[in-house]
Amino acid sequence: MTDNSKTVVVYVTYQGTPETRFDRDYYVNGHLPLVMKCWGRYGLRDVAAFFPAQDRRGTIAICECIFADEAAVEAAFSSAEVPEVMADVSRFTDATPARSRAAQL
């Protein structure tokens, strides 16, 4: 069994309506691999995308980013690759991403 006690989970969420532009295919097959390429070297272990079962106002996408620890989060989000990752957002959506951290209970 792996000790995940130091693992930090960051959720990136996108809010909108059914009319909000969000290219799910590009997000999963283009953006998330870019994120792993850029931030894997800093301790990003995995990313996963989730989409609501129904199109409606509210959350239109969630990305779960699993980092090795708090230092990995800080290193990734202050890295030289941040501009490249953020510039790619406009390729798949007009929605503004919001980050939040999950706490283990």
Side-chain angles (χ1 to χ4, degrees), residues 30-42 44 47 81 84-85:
H31 185 70
L32 295 186
L34 173 68
V35 170
M36 280 302 303
K37 179 187 82 127
C38 289
W39 292 342
R41 69 188 75 170
Y42 300 106
L44 176 62
V47 293
E81 292 85 359
E84 180 181 2
V85 171

Side-chain angles (χ1 to χ4, degrees), residues 8-16 22 27-28 31-32 35-36 39 44 46-52 58-67 73 76-77 82 85-86 88-90 92-102:
V8 176
V9 180
V10 175
Y11 289 101
V12 180
T13 58
Y14 299 84
Q15 302 294 311
F22 197 98
Y27 187 66
V28 170
H31 185 70
L32 295 186
V35 170
M36 280 302 303
W39 292 342
L44 176 62
D46 196 22
V47 293
F50 302 92
F51 304 101
T59 302
I60 57 174
I62 299 171
C63 178
E64 179 182 66
C65 302
I66 301 174
F67 288 89
V73 174
F77 289 133
V82 169
V85 171
M86 295 310 295
D88 194 55
V89 172
S90 65
F92 61 89
T93 190
D94 296 326
T96 302
R99 288 191 310 233
S100 59
R101 294 181 191 201

